[in-house]
Amino acid sequence: MLPLHPFRPRLVDALQGYDAAKFARDVGAGLTVGIVALPLAMAFAIASGVKPEAGIFTAIIAGFLISALGGSSVQIGGPAGAFIVIVYGIVERYGLANLLIATILAGVLLFAMGLLKLGALVRYVPVPIIIGFTNGIAVLIALSQVKDLLGLRIDKMPSDFFAQIEALGSHLGTIEPVAPLIGLASLAVVVLWPKSYTMPQAPVSAWGKVVRGLAHLPGTVVALALATTATALLKLPVQTIGSRCGGIPQGLPAFALPEFSWSTVKQLVFPTLTIALLGAIESLLCARVADNAADVPRHDPNQELMAQGIANVVTPFFGGIPATGTIARTITNVRAGAASPVAGIVHALALLAIVLAAAPLALHVPLAALAGILLFVAWNMGEWHEFARLKRFSPQYRTILVGTFVLTVVFDLTVAVEIGLVLACVFFIWRMGQLFAVRPHGTDDVPPGVFVFELYGSLFFGAVGKIEVLPGQLPEGTRAVVLEMHRLISMDTSGLEALQQLHRTLKRREIGLVLANVNEQPLSLIRRSGFEAVIGADAIVPNVAEAVEQFG
């Protein structure tokens, strides 16, 4: 029976010794993150091709569940920028109802991964693949915002990269003059607005105190508030949430079951795997970033995956979209002084309060302002400096990173990660095969006709060729071959087969084969396979000296 991971949320441990001081820190951090999360949740939803309330409900419900049940002390869950391209493509190809079903199925898969203790496997995804698809998704997010940034009159944007380029180019004549001004002004406010984490701690002037106070207001909220106020008061001719989506309802939606059929589920295998894979990678990467940024206990990856799974199963029943850990909001939570998962719970409740009190105000939010905010998110999401550093790394690293990036942009994330992993495996096999070596051993007083070779590295299916060519390198008159195997760290069945073939070839030429100083793993495989009985127990000796004595 497989050992299962116990279900124990980090909140249980965090509440032990919890006091009023920690609660005050968590409330302050939760309120700050709740304000930051509001514009991002709406922007992510609209960019994903769904209504803004879907993003807000996801931030509230999934954010609450991930914090209450997760394995991280400070991680904030909700809709993420990385899902924009994925969700938009699924909605366009399969429809909103099937997106909800795929999200539920992905949630079940995520929970199963955590329960079966597979959380650590996500860490084995190579770094160049992660950088490649992250940068690729950032490019696609930025491209998807050009329409709203320029106010282009495009009824429905396609999900294909080249089709998007064509659609944008063919509609450049429909630019709304005001929209780019609002979008770029919003982007400028977010970029230039002072950040609290950059403020000096030493005493400052009176103006410095004012700037320090303003820095506690999130730039995204300031940009959204200014753009919304200007649009409402000046009646600017731009598209708004009200004109496109009809506003945001006050209150949470009712529980509803999406249409379900097995014939539909069969079509959703790849969307489900994509959501689960991206959700697992994003959430655990975010949790690792949080561990490094905050003085908190290290996260439990399996518990985190189980919480992500529950959140993605529950949220779609209320019209929500896929959720995962969000780095920007998590870092905001850490910098605001969060002490426990209570901060994430407060963030969800703060969002709920905002929706209940101020939903009508969303009617006047200009889509161009949300586009400007998302451009900032896309820029921060990408690790662009890695492209400049490519020349420092091997051709294999460059191929994987650039290949994953291009495939993510041109095709989709699933194809990019699959091919990236295949390339990473191929290059790893090639590299390990290169590291394996068969070298002449520098042993003195070797009798004539006896040749000693030392094996280095790992003898596996990618390196057996160097054993197979060994008989052809032996001169006439060879009486014996000794393989010194002290530096052979491992061997697989293909390597064993190569040794067996070497023995058969040498035996036909009446040349003896002796294995000296064999390590535990290769020796165990040799004995279990029966090769020891074939070659003879006296042909496996502790050292080269004893092997040479047999032919002295």
Side-chain angles (χ1 to χ4, degrees), residues 291-373:
D291 289 344
N292 295 331
D295 184 19
V296 293
R298 187 170 184 81
H299 75 281
D300 180 344
N302 297 308
Q303 181 64 41
E304 189 61 33
L305 286 183
M306 286 193 283
Q308 300 284 343
I310 293 172
N312 281 287
V313 167
V314 173
T315 305
F317 289 108
F318 297 91
I321 56 179
T324 186
T326 57
I327 293 179
R329 275 159 278 173
T330 297
I331 293 300
T332 301
N333 190 41
V334 172
R335 288 169 175 163
S340 75
V342 173
I345 295 173
V346 172
H347 130 269
L349 297 177
L351 269 175
L352 177 60
I354 293 173
V355 170
L356 294 176
L361 299 178
L363 286 171
H364 304 291
V365 173
L367 298 180
L370 294 178
I373 291 172

Side-chain angles (χ1 to χ4, degrees), residues 299-438:
H299 75 281
D300 180 344
N302 297 308
Q303 181 64 41
E304 189 61 33
L305 286 183
M306 286 193 283
Q308 300 284 343
I310 293 172
N312 281 287
V313 167
V314 173
T315 305
F317 289 108
F318 297 91
I321 56 179
T324 186
T326 57
I327 293 179
R329 275 159 278 173
T330 297
I331 293 300
T332 301
N333 190 41
V334 172
R335 288 169 175 163
S340 75
V342 173
I345 295 173
V346 172
H347 130 269
L349 297 177
L351 269 175
L352 177 60
I354 293 173
V355 170
L356 294 176
L361 299 178
L363 286 171
H364 304 291
V365 173
L367 298 180
L370 294 178
I373 291 172
L374 280 183
L375 286 178
F376 179 75
V377 171
W379 175 257
N380 277 347
M381 179 179 175
E383 297 185 51
W384 313 111
H385 63 280
E386 291 295 334
F387 287 127
R389 299 175 61 229
L390 280 177
K391 59 184 179 182
R392 303 181 185 178
F393 297 100
S394 66
Q396 295 83 9
Y397 180 95
R398 296 197 292 266
T399 301
I400 295 172
L401 194 155
V402 175
T404 305
F405 171 76
V406 172
L407 289 170
T408 300
V409 173
V410 176
F411 293 99
D412 61 50
L413 173 69
T414 306
V415 172
V417 172
E418 287 174 351
I419 296 181
L421 286 173
V422 169
L423 286 175
C425 291
V426 169
F427 286 138
F428 177 77
I429 292 169
W430 177 82
R431 179 59 178 161
M432 292 301 294
Q434 293 297 107
L435 291 176
F436 176 76
V438 180

Side-chain angles (χ1 to χ4, degrees), residues 45-71:
I46 294 173
S48 300
V50 298
K51 292 185 176 181
E53 58 263 30
I56 296 176
F57 296 152
T58 302
I60 294 172
I61 300 171
F64 180 91
L65 292 174
I66 290 172
S67 292
L69 305 177

